[in-house]
Structures are given as structure tokens and as C-alpha cells.
Amino acid sequence: DAKTTQPPSMDCAEGRAANLPCNHSTISGNEYVYWYRQIHSQGPQYIIHGLKNNETNEMASLIITEDRKSSTLILPHATLRDTAVYYCIDPSNTGNQFYFGTGTSLTVIP
Amino acid sequence: ETGVTQSPTHLIKTRGQQVTLRCSSQSGHNTVSWYQQALGQGPQFIFQYYREEENGRGNFPPRFSGLQFPNYSSELNVNALELDDSALYLCASSLTGYGEQYFGPGTRLTVT
């Protein structure tokens, strides 16, 4: 079963930052949290992962709270192509045998 | 560098039949995982293969079986197809059994 909690849906205006929260209160101390997104009917796309420090790459930033019980994925300037379902994954004790929840459906509005 | 590829793209089968889906992993990746995604749901983990051995299995019956070849490509076999097996089947590869994995485009299976 998925070990994370995410809001089912969010809207974001084009050009604004999209902040997607995730609760992973049972994450193990040495496990990374992973973020993927899935554009309609395509395979999930890897976005970013992190352990305890904040991470940034060309796609997004990941902010992890100090207690590691939650994180926020930030898309700094959302575009219409960012409309997708975003999944936060806590793989605790399963390696990368990922258990996906239902994710957050992000809609970027023109 | 070639990404993860899957074949066929779409497939229609009749209840009771058997199906084989194929996956070619990304170059250099020795671990392949298979997922089933029903409409409106997140992907569900079926099983994982690491260096030709099954390395973990989700909550799926034995009629779901797999194989990994020496070149690390993989097959998913489903016997005695049921209507509920209609789904998008996703394959993902990774360097090891840990870390990020990269997904293929999926095979859409319809069972009638």
C-alpha cells in the first residue's frame, strides 16, 4: 500500500509557481522520497528525489521538512505542459519496488 | 542512449486467453519492474527482476509471471485473462534495485 498522502487535485495559473505537498510521516530514516509525474496515458516520468536536504534540478525543486515527514515539490514557472498527475513515493523497505497512491492531478490554467 | 521500450503498444485479447508483453530496459540497467495501472488509479507494483531472478512481488496471483533475459530485457506473461486485467502495463528499468527508475510508454491491454 502507498505510504503517502497527497491532495487529489490542484489548479495553478500559467507562469506561477506550483507547490505540490506530500505527507510521508512513516518514512524510514535512510529512505529517499521520490517524485514522478504522469501525463495522460503515458509512462510516469521521473522528476526528482531527496533524502533530507533540499534538492533542485532542471525540472523542479524539492523541499523536505526537517523531520522528513512531509515534502513539497515546486514547479517554479508552471506551463500548460506541466498539467499531469504528480506522485510522491515513499519506498520504505522496498528498494525501488514503488507503491504509488492516486497522486495529485495538477491542472495549469492559461 | 535508448530509453525503455515496450511492445506491443496496444493489444486486445479474449477472456481466458494468454498474453505476453515485452520490455527492453535502458542501456546499462539490470533491474526491471512491472506495474499494472487500471483506469483512474496509480500504477500497482507486480514484480521486479534483478539479473534474471525475481526480486520481489506485489499482490498479484501466480497467473502473472515474468522472465528476464541475459540482456536484461523482460517479459510479462498473464494466463487465463480476466476482464479486470484490462489496464495499462508499464515496465520500468533501473541501474539496481534502488534509486530512480525509468518507465516505458506502456502496453494498453483490453480483455473482452
Side-chain angles (χ1 to χ4, degrees), chain B residues 36-92:
Chain B
Q36 180 196 66
Q37 186 173 26
L39 207 59
Q41 303 295 315
Q44 300 298 303
F45 173 71
I46 303 174
F47 46 56
Q48 182 179 82
Y49 278 82
Y50 170 69
R51 293 188 173 182
E52 303 178 58
E53 296 287 333
E54 187 176 292
N55 187 45
R57 189 178 184 92
N59 189 27
F60 280 82
R63 59 190 186 84
F64 286 78
S65 63
L67 203 56
Q68 187 178 32
F69 299 99
N71 67 355
Y72 303 132
S73 65
S74 179
E75 286 182 354
L76 164 66
N77 298 289
V78 187
N79 293 322
L81 283 167
E82 302 177 358
L83 297 179
D84 285 348
D85 296 333
S86 295
L88 180 68
Y89 287 85
L90 296 159
C91 161

Side-chain angles (χ1 to χ4, degrees), chain B:
Chain B
E1 183 179 278
T2 306
V4 179
T5 60
Q6 293 186 243
S7 63
T9 306
H10 296 87
L11 201 53
I12 299 175
K13 289 286 189 178
T14 303
R15 190 171 51 184
Q17 287 187 315
Q18 177 267 341
V19 69
T20 298
L21 309 181
R22 294 179 174 82
C23 170
S24 291
S25 59
Q26 188 164 315
S27 178
H29 287 188
N30 59 22
T31 302
V32 172
S33 302
W34 285 91
Y35 294 81
Q36 180 196 66
Q37 186 173 26
L39 207 59
Q41 303 295 315
Q44 300 298 303
F45 173 71
I46 303 174
F47 46 56
Q48 182 179 82
Y49 278 82
Y50 170 69
R51 293 188 173 182
E52 303 178 58
E53 296 287 333
E54 187 176 292
N55 187 45
R57 189 178 184 92
N59 189 27
F60 280 82
R63 59 190 186 84
F64 286 78
S65 63
L67 203 56
Q68 187 178 32
F69 299 99
N71 67 355
Y72 303 132
S73 65
S74 179
E75 286 182 354
L76 164 66
N77 298 289
V78 187
N79 293 322
L81 283 167
E82 302 177 358
L83 297 179
D84 285 348
D85 296 333
S86 295
L88 180 68
Y89 287 85
L90 296 159
C91 161
S93 75
S94 56
L95 277 171
T96 67
Y98 292 86
E100 67 270 27
Q101 50 189 301
Y102 297 89
F103 284 79
T107 293
R108 173 72 62 187
L109 173 65
T110 302
V111 182
T112 63

Side-chain angles (χ1 to χ4, degrees), chain A residues 9-89:
Chain A
S9 63
M10 295 181 65
D11 292 339
C12 178
E14 188 178 16
R16 305 297 293 267
N19 296 281
L20 294 98
C22 177
N23 181 296
H24 36 79
S25 58
T26 61
I27 195 167
S28 301
N30 60 349
E31 289 283 0
Y32 289 81
V33 59
Y34 292 82
W35 283 82
Y36 282 76
R37 73 180 182 184
Q38 188 173 26
I39 296 169
H40 182 64
S41 292
Q42 297 180 20
Q45 178 188 24
Y46 166 75
I47 301 173
I48 198 167
H49 69 285
L51 184 61
K52 55 178 73 174
N53 297 319
N54 298 337
E55 301 287 345
T56 296
N57 63 19
E58 65 278 5
M59 290 184 68
S61 295
L62 177 60
I63 308 297
I64 303 172
T65 58
E66 193 168 342
D67 63 9
R68 300 203 340 111
K69 293 185 177 182
S70 65
S71 61
T72 300
L73 180 75
I74 300 171
L75 308 178
H77 306 286
T79 71
L80 299 180
R81 285 177 294 183
D82 292 322
T83 292
V85 178
Y86 287 77
Y87 296 99
C88 161
I89 299 166

